[in-house]
Amino acid sequence: MVSERDSSRLKDTPAPARAATLTVAYEGGEERRGPVTMGQANMIRCVLRDEPEHINIHDVWPTPAGTGTAAAVDALRTLAVRHEGLRTTFPHDPGSAPREQVVAAAGAFTVTVLDHDELPGDAAVYAESLAREARGERFRLDRDFPLRVTLVALDGAVAYAAVAASHAVTDISALAVLKEEWLTLLSGGTLPALTALTPLGLAAEEAAPTGIRKSAASLRYWERIIRTGPQAMFAEPGAGGTEAAAPRLTLRSRRGARALAAVAERTGGLPATVLLTAWCALLAHRAGQPACVTAVPTANRHEPRLTRSVNTLSQDALLCLDVRVPSFDVLLSKAWGAALNAYRHSRFDAVSLWEMIDRTTFERGSRFARDVAFNDVSTLPTALPSSLPSGDETVIGPELELSWGEVQVLPTRVLTFVHETDPLLRLGVWADPALFPREQAEGFVVGLVRLLEAAAVGDVPLDTLSEVTGVRPVERGPDWERVDGSWVSPPAVAEALSRALDGVPVHVTTAPPPDGGSPDGAAGPGLTAYIAAGGGPLTPAGAHAAFMDVLPGRPGLLAPRRYVIVQDPPAEADLSDAWVRQQILSEGTGRDRRM
């Protein structure tokens, strides 16, 4: 079953009968200040760089029936006093990135109240649209309260809180904690004592010698993957650009949940690890890659003291799972160790990380593409059930349902959120439509369910994934080769290099590594570029720098390991042997220094 759902603001929505903006004062906290955390610094870079609708986050919080505006506001005030992160601002000079966070003891924030005489038929979708709209306004890091809250009410009774949030202070996990505590307060419950690390407490740990060693180890771990793994999971025809506007595809499936539980019981694996293994296996199969390289953002909450931290811990764990094994069970036996290794190396200084990435990719001649992200939030506190109760089937959920929702512009080609694994398997997937047209995107998520169902019965040979799942590897054509661990189109490399050098003739061939090895230490054949410079002052370093400038958004390109500058092209410019016979003016790796 496939349905269309659009969470953009509903047409013909009844206008609120009463609208008000309330100023909510709070006091009772402790004033503190100190350095920003690594996660805060990482997200602040994005906040200052990206459009607000792309980097801000949002959520919709339901309320118990009969909740009044005063109770809803009081609950928000309690959360502000309770959590230092919500009282945090980041003072900084214009044009600079904040290096310090300040926690206020007292302050104020505003809440918008929209009170209706009649709510639209799908009030939750209406609240979602309000939250998404609120994402479009940039948060001022030096002064703004990090939550932008709109209360949706009916005759004075609050039905939902539509929340937009600054990613510099919260992440999806933090919003889930706040949602759970919001419901506890409105239901008359008592919140437990705080045991999670505060942002300032985490910053102190990160600055200690042990924290510095962990950060350095994380950089070494990332460098190994970026230097030797696939430069992009989707280096294939049709892949281009650095951002994709993709609609959300939601899977809700009892079949998937039953199969996942059965695989976990049969193999003894954790359901989360089973699902991650199946997803990686199918993604690598579809991409035709020997490994699945994916960002796992929520993995940095695996420590108990961070699980319920109201803070932004948005630093990727980078998982590289080699799928060159015979069967699903063998892959599952490797996946937990690989995931745990990724989790251990998910705390790092963002500036140092990107300096390392820039250096490593310049030496390798690639551009690291964060093509894939897998965010399992199924174990986080949740408030909304899978479906609203209106009969037995609705309560339990559908056997398998696919629905399409809003479009988001994302710097990834496949983003997956795991919202629930029991009693439903519920996933939200955004897949680049240039690579996954709607039918193929639907086939991919249905194929995931089929893989789980097959693995529930017995071990699945990985060379049968096409037959088992209906998902087939991408077809690349004869111009594509695997070079330095990546899929590359040598003719496309030649065309891009020629264009970068103002149209001079270029020929690119695959050749064994020259004496002395490659500049990045890679084994096996690499690319050699022959460039007819016509006597111009071109050097290998100049050629490499020019090529690196055209790499962003071109995942099928990889820089040559060696640049050979000749005077003129041979008469038979399409033959490698003819280029080899030309007089060489200069040659080298081009990696001497950045230009």
Side-chain angles (χ1 to χ4, degrees), residues 250-261 271-272 274-276 278-279 374 376 378 386 396-402 416-429 444-453:
T250 298
L251 165 74
R252 298 169 67 244
S253 176
R254 280 189 290 169
R255 281 173 49 189
R258 287 196 302 267
L260 178 59
V274 170
L275 183 60
L276 176 63
W279 187 84
F374 183 84
D376 188 344
S378 62
S386 307
I396 298 172
E399 281 292 290
L400 193 150
E401 176 193 80
L402 302 176
T416 301
F417 273 86
V418 182
H419 296 289
E420 190 176 0
T421 59
D422 182 56
L424 286 181
L425 177 61
R426 181 161 60 97
L427 310 178
V429 180
F444 185 84
V445 295
V446 172
L448 179 67
V449 174
R450 290 173 175 166
L451 174 56
L452 291 171
E453 289 177 327

Side-chain angles (χ1 to χ4, degrees), residues 233-504:
M233 284 299 294
F234 294 102
E236 60 186 63
T242 56
E243 293 185 337
R248 181 187 65 199
L249 173 60
T250 298
L251 165 74
R252 298 169 67 244
S253 176
R254 280 189 290 169
R255 281 173 49 189
R258 287 196 302 267
L260 178 59
V263 180
E265 182 177 3
R266 182 183 69 79
T267 62
L270 296 173
T273 308
V274 170
L275 183 60
L276 176 63
T277 303
W279 187 84
C280 283
L282 192 59
L283 190 76
H285 170 72
R286 156 59 184 79
Q289 296 283 14
C292 179
V293 178
T294 178
V296 192
T298 50
N300 45 32
R301 287 183 177 263
H302 70 284
E303 295 183 29
R305 294 180 306 147
L306 297 176
T307 301
R308 298 186 60 83
S309 177
V310 175
N311 184 14
T312 185
L313 301 178
S314 292
Q315 293 186 277
D316 290 340
L318 187 64
L319 171 67
C320 183
L321 181 59
D322 192 329
V323 300
R324 290 172 294 186
V325 295
S327 69
F328 182 86
D329 285 6
V330 177
L331 187 62
L332 178 61
S333 69
K334 295 176 53 178
W336 171 241
L340 188 60
N341 201 25
Y343 301 164
R344 290 194 186 109
H345 297 99
S346 62
R347 191 184 296 182
F348 45 78
D349 177 80
V351 173
S352 297
L353 178 76
W354 281 103
E355 288 175 349
M356 178 277 293
I357 290 175
D358 286 346
R359 182 187 70 254
T360 300
T361 53
F362 184 84
E363 292 171 359
R364 189 179 185 188
S366 65
R367 276 285 184 265
F368 171 64
R370 187 180 181 268
D371 271 355
V372 183
F374 183 84
N375 214 358
D376 188 344
V377 297
S378 62
T379 60
L380 300 177
T382 183
L384 285 174
S386 307
S387 49
L388 300 177
S390 60
D392 288 345
E393 191 280 333
T394 308
V395 172
I396 298 172
E399 281 292 290
L400 193 150
E401 176 193 80
L402 302 176
S403 61
W404 288 93
E406 82 285 350
V407 172
Q408 280 191 253
V409 177
L410 300 166
T412 57
R413 300 196 191 278
V414 175
L415 168 64
T416 301
F417 273 86
V418 182
H419 296 289
E420 190 176 0
T421 59
D422 182 56
L424 286 181
L425 177 61
R426 181 161 60 97
L427 310 178
V429 180
W430 289 261
D432 185 349
L435 305 178
F436 292 85
R438 285 201 170 197
E439 184 177 351
Q440 291 187 25
E442 292 170 2
F444 185 84
V445 295
V446 172
L448 179 67
V449 174
R450 290 173 175 166
L451 174 56
L452 291 171
E453 289 177 327
V457 177
D459 197 4
V460 178
L462 294 188
D463 61 6
T464 66
L465 286 184
S466 292
E467 293 74 19
V468 169
T469 67
V471 176
R472 299 189 177 279
V474 64
E475 295 182 4
R476 288 188 169 86
D479 287 342
W480 290 79
E481 301 180 44
R482 282 198 61 79
V483 176
D484 283 0
S486 297
W487 280 106
V488 181
S489 170
V493 172
E495 182 273 333
L497 181 56
S498 174
R499 182 172 298 182
L501 298 175
D502 298 324
V504 302

Side-chain angles (χ1 to χ4, degrees), residues 493-494 497 501 505-511 526-532 543 547 558-566 579 586-588:
V493 172
L497 181 56
L501 298 175
V506 174
H507 179 73
V508 174
T509 183
T510 306
L527 298 179
T528 297
Y530 293 88
I531 306 169
F547 185 80
L558 190 71
R561 282 191 194 166
R562 198 161 191 83
Y563 299 88
V564 180
I565 315 297
V566 301
W579 283 90
S586 64
E587 60 180 317

